[in-house]
Amino acid sequence: MILKGAEIGRYLARPDPTRPALLIHGQDAMRVALKRAEAVKALVGAGAEEEMRLTRIQGADLRKDPAALLDAVKAVGFFPGQRVVLVDDAQDAAAPAIASAIAEWKPGDAVIVVAAGGLGKSSALRKLFEPHPAAMTAPIYDDPPGEDEVGRWLRDAGLREVPRDAMRDLLALSRALDPGDFRQTVEKIGLYKHGDPDPLTPAEIAVLAPATIEAEVDDLIDCVAEGRAREFGTLMRRIEGQGIAPVTLCIAALRHFRALHTAASEPGGPGAGLARLRPPVFGPRRDRMIRQAQDWGMRALEDAIHQLIETDLVLRSSSRAPAMALMERMLLRLCMMPRGGR
C-alpha cells in the first residue's frame, strides 16, 4: 500500500503497529533518516533501545544472513511493549529476506521498518511493498514540510500556540533550510521559549534562525540600501578586515538589489514580491526590505543593478584596478544615489 501526499506525514507520526512492515525511501538521505526516526519513535517510544525493544540490522548484512531478520522479528523481548526491527540502508538484494519475514509475521511480532535510498520503479523492494495489502510504503520527496507537519514538530518542542505571522515565517524558513537544520532550529526555539508564556514572534524566529550569509555583509548592504553614508566607512573597514573578496561582496549586493527590484515591481505590493523569493525573506528583515524597496522605487533600483553588473564584469576581467577600492567606490555611489521613491 502506497501512502501519498499528506497521508505520509500523518502515518509516520502514528504508524499502525498491527501492520507488519513499513518501507521509507527517498533520494535525500537526511529526509529519510528524519522520517525513519520519527516512525520508530512513534512505534516504540524514546527508551526502546535501552529496553532492547529496537533491533538494528544493516541491509547489506541480510545478504550473508537472510534468516537474521526473521529471527529478530520473532524474538521475545525481556521488556514488555511494542518491538521494532529496523533495516537500514536496504538494497534490493535484501528483498527476499524481507519478503520471507513479512510472510511469517504474526500479531505481536516486531514491526519491520525498512529505510532505503532512492528506488526506481523496477526496484524489488518497491515491488514487494507497494502491492502488499498490509505493508506500507512511504516515498519521501524533496518537498518542504507542510503546515501540519511543522505544527506537530512545534508541539513536540513544547510550543502549543503559534501565532499566524510566526507560523508563516517558520514555513518560509522550512523552505530555506535543509530538513535537519530546520528541525534543530525548531528544537532551539522550543528551548528558548521554555517557560515563556508570551507568544512566539517573527523577531524571535529571525534571531534564532541560522545565518545564511555573513552578518557583516548584511549590515554593509543595508547601510548602502538605506543611504547611511556616515556609517559606510566603518562597516567597509570591518569587511576588509574579514578578508571578504570584492567579487563576493558584489554578488551579495547584486542579489540584494535584485530582490528589492522584485519587491518594487510586484503589482501586489513589495510584501507579495518578497514572498516569491527563494530563499524567502521573513521576519523583521522582510519589513526592512519592504521599506528599502519603497524608498528606492523600481527605476532607481534598475539603475543600481545596472551599475552593479558593470562593476561585477570589471572585477572578473583582467583590469589592473584595485578590486576592493573599485567595489568600495561603487557601493558609496549607491549609498549617496537619489532614490526614486522619495
Side-chain angles (χ1 to χ4, degrees):
M1 187 177 298
I2 308 173
L3 295 164
K4 297 179 181 178
E7 294 176 342
I8 297 172
R10 288 196 295 267
Y11 185 85
L12 295 182
R14 298 184 64 181
D16 185 353
T18 66
R19 293 184 176 274
L22 166 65
L23 170 64
I24 305 172
H25 69 92
Q27 293 286 352
D28 191 316
M30 176 59 73
R31 282 179 164 84
V32 171
L34 287 171
K35 296 298 185 183
R36 175 205 64 193
E38 182 180 7
V40 169
K41 184 178 179 181
L43 281 166
V44 294
E49 203 136 23
E50 293 81 359
E51 296 178 359
M52 297 177 287
R53 293 185 293 110
L54 173 60
T55 302
R56 298 177 184 271
I57 298 176
Q58 286 297 312
D61 293 342
L62 292 179
R63 294 181 63 182
K64 305 172 188 175
D65 185 9
L69 177 58
L70 182 58
D71 290 344
V73 168
K74 294 292 185 181
V76 178
F78 183 78
F79 291 89
Q82 179 65 55
R83 293 181 303 111
V84 162
V85 179
L86 173 60
V87 182
D88 245 334
D89 297 323
Q91 305 290 330
D92 281 345
I98 296 170
S100 176
I102 292 175
E104 297 290 331
W105 192 88
K106 298 288 190 296
D109 290 345
V111 174
I112 305 163
V113 177
V114 180
L119 300 176
K121 291 183 179 180
S122 60
S123 162
L125 285 172
R126 287 183 61 175
K127 288 182 176 180
L128 166 63
F129 275 82
E130 290 178 357
H132 198 283
M136 305 298 290
T137 305
I140 307 301
Y141 304 107
D142 292 347
D143 302 329
E147 185 170 349
D148 289 346
E149 193 167 13
V150 172
R152 187 167 63 251
W153 293 347
L154 289 167
R155 289 191 293 274
D156 291 344
L159 292 166
R160 300 289 175 183
E161 297 294 332
V162 178
R164 188 70 238 165
D165 57 348
M167 179 60 80
R168 177 196 61 202
D169 285 358
L170 284 168
L171 291 173
L173 187 61
S174 75
R175 295 191 292 271
L177 300 177
D178 69 57
D181 287 343
F182 181 67
R183 285 296 297 268
Q184 287 180 350
T185 300
V186 169
E187 290 169 6
K188 183 165 67 171
I189 291 171
L191 289 171
Y192 175 81
K193 294 294 287 182
H194 180 70
D196 183 356
D198 294 332
L200 180 66
T201 67
E204 290 172 324
I205 296 170
V207 169
L208 295 168
T212 54
I213 63 173
E214 292 289 344
E216 298 285 357
V217 174
D218 271 344
D219 289 343
L220 177 66
I221 295 174
D222 281 333
C223 170
V224 171
E226 292 164 4
R228 293 184 277 117
R230 291 183 179 181
E231 302 171 37
F232 177 81
T234 301
L235 291 171
M236 196 70 205
R237 299 293 81 77
R238 280 158 52 181
I239 290 290
E240 288 181 299
Q242 287 189 4
I244 295 172
V247 170
T248 301
L249 190 55
C250 189
I251 291 170
L254 190 53
R255 180 170 57 237
H256 184 84
F257 276 83
R258 279 175 168 159
L260 295 183
H261 184 266
T262 298
S265 59
E266 172 61 44
L274 291 176
R276 294 194 291 108
L277 296 178
R278 294 293 179 270
V281 182
F282 59 91
R285 181 148 190 81
R286 179 187 56 235
D287 298 334
R288 187 173 196 170
M289 289 181 69
I290 287 174
R291 290 194 297 271
Q292 291 172 5
Q294 291 170 335
D295 189 34
W296 276 82
M298 186 171 66
R299 299 305 175 195
L301 286 166
E302 287 173 356
D303 189 14
I305 291 169
H306 178 71
Q307 293 185 49
L308 282 166
I309 290 173
E310 285 189 341
T311 303
D312 186 45
L313 292 172
V314 173
L315 290 173
R316 295 170 189 268
S317 72
S318 56
S319 170
R320 294 185 179 180
M324 187 55 87
L326 182 70
M327 190 66 223
E328 182 174 356
R329 284 196 298 270
M330 168 73 256
L331 291 176
L332 186 57
R333 283 200 304 272
L334 292 183
C335 190
M336 302 182 74
M337 184 175 163
R339 314 297 163 83
R342 288 179 178 171

